[in-house]
Structure formats: structure tokens, C-alpha cells
Amino acid sequence: MTTVVENSWGWILNQKVAIEKLYQDVRDGDKRKTYRCREELFAVTRPHITVDYRGCDGDVHTEEDTVTMGTSVNQAQTQQESDHRKTKKRKRKQQTDLNAGEAAAMEYHKQIKPNLLLAYTSFQTLWRGSELFQDCPTDEVPVGKPWLDWGPGNCLADLCDLARITENQEPLILSKETSSEETDIFNRLVHVETDHSTVTSMLGGRYLLPARSSFLMSDISRMQPLVQGGTKFNFIVMDPPWENKSVKRAKRYASLSPRQLFQLPIPSLAAPGCLVVTWVTNRCQHMRFVREVLYPHWSVETVAAWHWLKVTRTGELVFPMDSPHKKPYETIILGRFVDQSGGLANSRSPVVPDVPKHKVICSVPCVLHSRKPPLDEVLQKYLPPTPICLELFARCLQPGWTSWGNEVRTCLSQVIKFQHLDFYQEERATHDPD
């Protein structure tokens, strides 16, 4: 099945298929296996929020409300009328008591909304003939969130405490003949030197490791092994754990203040003309910080701002476009590293096309927090023929890439967490004739 379909507005991407293509020929001892993602991970079959646009108040209901997504229109309308007075008061407050950040976010939304709607309309025609999205079997739609119990659990958090007292070590090579003990892989580059994806036992679990991938498990203060390795990257992608109120309340992961991002040694890692891509929340303060402070600090020149538009398996937006709670899109800020020995035009090697100012990537999101769609295929024309790629704040591994995850005890985004076999389903297995 195709993973990407392109038109003038951008790309429709099937992230599930893109992941499964990596694991069609996996070596597990003397067996060859095929793995696919668990269906639950992309079973986004209906919007997270529905809105009754017929009323003047624009009442919003989420899956946590008393009116469920499967309720009939008449039942929902009865519930809405019963809460009319409270909702109206809440809406009046939201509309009149906007702080500076909220007002800026609303203005930003007004600016980008027309193009996003045009892109969405063009994608609706495109995906009907692309077979990018398949119907989700009803017997595979999960009840609740079983994936919360998948993966390595708390063992990685405990081991990360040990990592903080472990000195930086020489790189570790993982091949078909080697294995790794629990404390062997912290604060050192780990290189998977196999030509096929493999199943490896480590950290008390079993993990899928992509071919020719590398990773570093450390916190942000121990990134020296990346720099000491001497590799200069043509493509750097990062998805920082931005601070926000909901994260602080839920305590789902350890966030970083914008100023802490200055610790990232981008100038020491980027090759001349390196394409630097940063995922940013829809908070205008963070977007301005990346464009006006962080990128200039790294000698990165902003060249474009793209958007990721999130849809269900049936092509509906996961949130209404004008939802006051959450938006169905996220922002991606792209820049080029400027070698201080020369200008931007002279620092690119080889010459690649200019990145368009605006594009839209449309896909069904993974239910796992911050599992973003891969960008290498949609950005390949703006990169050298064989780019050297790095992902920072990574939640998973990619073949041929180097990945670093900010490993702290309260962080649930360890770089190999979503490589755990719990997140995959074995499709078939045969004995390796070799």
C-alpha cells in the first residue's frame, strides 16, 4: 500500500503503513518474522470533539462528557439544552476575557485557517482514490486505553536513575552475535550494525531495532557522545517537550523550559545547509521563541512554516477547525543552518531546492502521545541524495537514523520505548535458511 500521496497543497501520509514497511523482514534468532502495528494504535475512527453548529452557542462535547460520541442527535440536543445557561456563561467568558496569549493564538488561527481548509478540501478528493486509509475492523477497536500498560513500564525510569551516575562510555556495537545488559546502553552511542531489522533482548524486554539505526540514551546534560562522534548531520528533526498548563496538571512527561533548549549542541552537529525541523505547539509564544531567539542562537535561518493536519480513518478532522479547546493541526518550523564561515547560499552542499514557505501534511495520528508522522519521505527532495539524519527527543528509532531521547525519570518518551514488542503484532514467522 502507498504511504504518501502528493498534490499542490502537500501530502497525505499513512503513518501506520510507513512503520510497518520497516518490519516486513525481521530477524529473531533463526527465524524471519513480519510485524505490523497493533490496530488500536491508529484506530482513530471518530473525532475527539463534536460541535453542534446549529446553535448560536457552539456547544462542545468531548468523549469525557455525559453525551457520548454514539448518542443520537435528539438525545444530545436535550443534554445541550439542559446545560444551556452554564455553557452560555462559559462561552461569554471565553470570548470576552482573552489574555494576550489567547488573543495572539486566535489571530494566528484566523491567518492560517483559510489555507488549511483549502488543503483539507483538496485532500478529501485525493484520498478517496488513494487507498491510503482503510476501514478499521469493528472487532479491533479498543475499549479504553490498553496501550497505557504496554511497553517496559517503570523499569526504564528506574534504570535512568542509574544512568545519571554512569560515565560517558565508548560506542557500543549491536550485531547479530551481540546482546546488551541493562546498564550497558546508557550515556553511550549504540549502533545497530545489521542489514535487517532485528528483535533484541535488553533492559528486561524485547525490542524491534531497525537496520543500521543508532541511538543515545541520556539526559540533555549528557549529549557529549553525539558531538564526540564527529558526525555532521544534513537533517535534524526535534519535538521538544514544550511547557504548558495541561502537561503540568497531568504530569504525563517532563517538560523543558524554552531556555533549556539552548543546551542542544546544534551548531556542533549540523552540516552546512542542514535542514532543521522543529515541532511546535500552537502557542504563539513558543513559535516566536523558535523563530526569533532559538534559531538565531543556533545560526539557523527560518525558511518555512508547515502544518500537520490530523484526521480520522474516515477523513474527518479530529477536532473542529474552530474548536476553542484544541485545534486539529500542529505547526512545524523549518530552517537552514548557516555556516558562519559563509552565507546560506554558499553553505549548501550539494545544492537542493528551496523549501516551500507553506505545505500541509495530512495523516491519521497515532494514539500514543507525541508519536509524530515521519518526515523523511515528504522532505527528501529538499535534502542531499543520501542525507545523514538525526532526531532529538525521539520516541522511536528509524533505519539509518541516529536518535536521542531525553531520559529522565518522570519522562515517558524514552528513545526506545515504542520499539517494545508490546506495540506490535507478529503476522508470520519462518525459519531463516541461513
Side-chain angles (χ1 to χ4, degrees):
M1 178 183 291
T2 305
T3 57
V4 174
V5 175
E6 182 178 1
N7 69 6
S8 60
W9 286 100
W11 300 266
I12 303 175
L13 172 66
N14 190 322
Q15 184 179 359
K16 180 175 181 291
V17 172
I19 294 172
E20 291 174 346
K21 281 188 173 182
L22 307 180
Y23 305 117
Q24 294 180 347
D25 186 13
V26 179
R27 306 303 166 88
D28 184 3
D30 62 349
K31 293 183 179 180
R32 301 177 67 170
K33 298 181 177 181
T34 296
Y35 286 91
R36 62 183 179 88
C37 297
R38 289 215 179 187
E39 193 67 40
E40 297 96 319
L41 298 181
F42 291 91
V44 183
T45 57
R46 58 190 180 182
H48 301 315
I49 292 180
T50 57
V51 178
D52 183 359
Y53 287 106
R54 297 170 301 174
C56 61
D57 296 318
D59 296 336
V60 176
H61 295 281
T62 68
E63 289 182 336
E64 288 76 23
D65 290 336
T66 55
V67 180
T68 64
M69 302 294 291
T71 305
S72 68
V73 174
N74 289 337
Q75 289 174 308
Q77 191 170 9
T78 300
Q79 179 67 36
Q80 291 169 9
E81 290 172 354
S82 68
D83 294 336
H84 176 77
R85 182 172 300 176
K86 180 172 64 176
T87 302
K88 188 173 182 178
K89 181 177 180 181
R90 182 174 68 249
K91 291 296 177 182
R92 186 185 301 118
K93 181 178 179 181
Q94 290 177 347
Q95 294 171 2
T96 59
D97 296 343
L98 296 179
N99 59 36
E102 292 168 337
M106 181 176 292
E107 183 61 29
Y108 174 72
H109 174 69
K110 289 179 180 179
Q111 291 175 4
I112 65 172
K113 175 183 172 180
N115 280 343
L116 289 179
L117 288 177
L118 287 171
Y120 176 58
T121 301
S122 74
F123 290 149
Q124 286 179 309
T125 302
L126 191 61
W127 67 54
R128 291 191 184 102
S130 68
E131 298 184 353
L132 275 177
F133 303 140
Q134 294 178 322
D135 292 336
C136 183
T138 55
D139 60 348
E140 294 192 42
V141 177
V143 177
K145 294 185 178 180
W147 56 86
L148 293 178
D149 297 325
W150 295 350
N154 293 326
C155 68
L156 279 185
D158 295 334
L159 290 169
C160 284
D161 282 345
L162 295 177
R164 275 192 278 273
I165 61 174
T166 303
E167 295 296 326
N168 298 333
Q169 303 180 65
E170 293 297 318
L172 173 68
I173 307 300
L174 291 182
S175 64
K176 188 176 181 181
E177 292 77 25
T178 60
S179 61
S180 178
E181 299 298 330
E182 288 184 346
T183 57
D184 281 345
I185 64 175
F186 291 103
N187 297 327
R188 68 193 308 185
L189 273 173
V190 179
H191 301 290
V192 181
E193 293 200 349
T194 58
D195 294 324
H196 299 84
S197 296
T198 60
V199 176
T200 301
S201 296
M202 57 185 181
L203 300 172
R206 284 165 60 77
Y207 295 84
L208 270 174
L209 300 184
R212 302 293 170 181
S213 59
S214 301
F215 61 92
L216 171 64
M217 299 180 69
S218 73
D219 64 28
I220 197 169
S221 67
R222 297 204 172 206
M223 299 182 66
Q224 295 91 335
L226 275 179
V227 177
Q228 293 167 356
T231 301
K232 297 292 185 178
F233 297 92
N234 308 112
F235 185 27
I236 299 177
V237 179
M238 68 188 81
D239 183 17
W242 297 101
E243 285 183 328
N244 63 62
K245 293 179 180 179
S246 63
V247 168
K248 289 182 179 180
R249 288 193 299 265
K251 298 181 180 180
R252 288 184 299 176
Y253 59 85
S255 60
L256 291 177
S257 70
R259 295 290 171 178
Q260 287 177 290
L261 298 179
F262 286 145
Q263 298 181 57
L264 296 175
I266 299 301
S268 299
L269 297 171
C274 171
L275 183 60
V276 180
V277 177
T278 304
W279 291 90
V280 189
T281 65
N282 291 323
R283 190 175 177 184
C284 292
Q285 180 181 353
H286 290 158
M287 288 186 271
R288 285 196 304 271
F289 173 76
V290 171
R291 289 192 182 100
E292 301 173 9
V293 181
L294 191 62
Y295 273 11
H297 175 75
W298 290 334
S299 297
V300 172
E301 178 181 306
T302 300
V303 296
W306 292 8
H307 290 92
W308 174 34
L309 194 61
K310 294 177 275 189
V311 297
T312 69
R313 292 281 281 264
T314 56
E316 298 176 90
L317 297 175
V318 296
F319 294 100
M321 184 61 75
D322 293 319
S323 168
H325 298 271
K326 290 186 177 181
K327 297 294 188 285
Y329 57 82
E330 294 188 33
T331 302
I332 314 166
I333 299 179
L334 301 89
R336 290 280 186 190
F337 175 66
V338 182
D339 190 345
Q340 292 302 304
S341 61
L344 177 62
N346 297 326
S347 64
R348 294 186 194 173
S349 179
V351 176
V352 292
D354 290 335
V355 177
K357 295 295 183 182
H358 185 251
K359 287 285 185 178
V360 179
I361 300 167
C362 180
S363 73
V364 176
C366 180
V367 299
L368 300 173
H369 177 71
S370 286
R371 183 78 185 262
K372 299 295 196 300
L375 299 176
D376 51 338
E377 191 164 357
V378 300
L379 285 169
Q380 61 183 353
K381 68 178 69 174
Y382 312 111
L383 298 169
T386 55
I388 305 172
C389 306
L390 169 67
E391 183 173 9
L392 303 177
F393 303 102
R395 278 80 171 180
C396 57
L397 306 181
Q398 299 184 66
W401 282 57
T402 299
S403 304
W404 170 78
N406 187 30
E407 312 294 339
V408 295
R409 182 176 178 83
T410 56
C411 184
L412 299 180
S413 60
Q414 294 89 353
V415 66
I416 63 170
K417 179 181 174 68
F418 297 135
Q419 300 302 132
H420 197 282
L421 280 186
D422 277 358
F423 299 101
Y424 301 87
Q425 183 173 333
E426 183 180 323
E427 194 168 83
R428 60 181 174 84
T430 60
H431 283 281
D432 191 338
D434 298 335

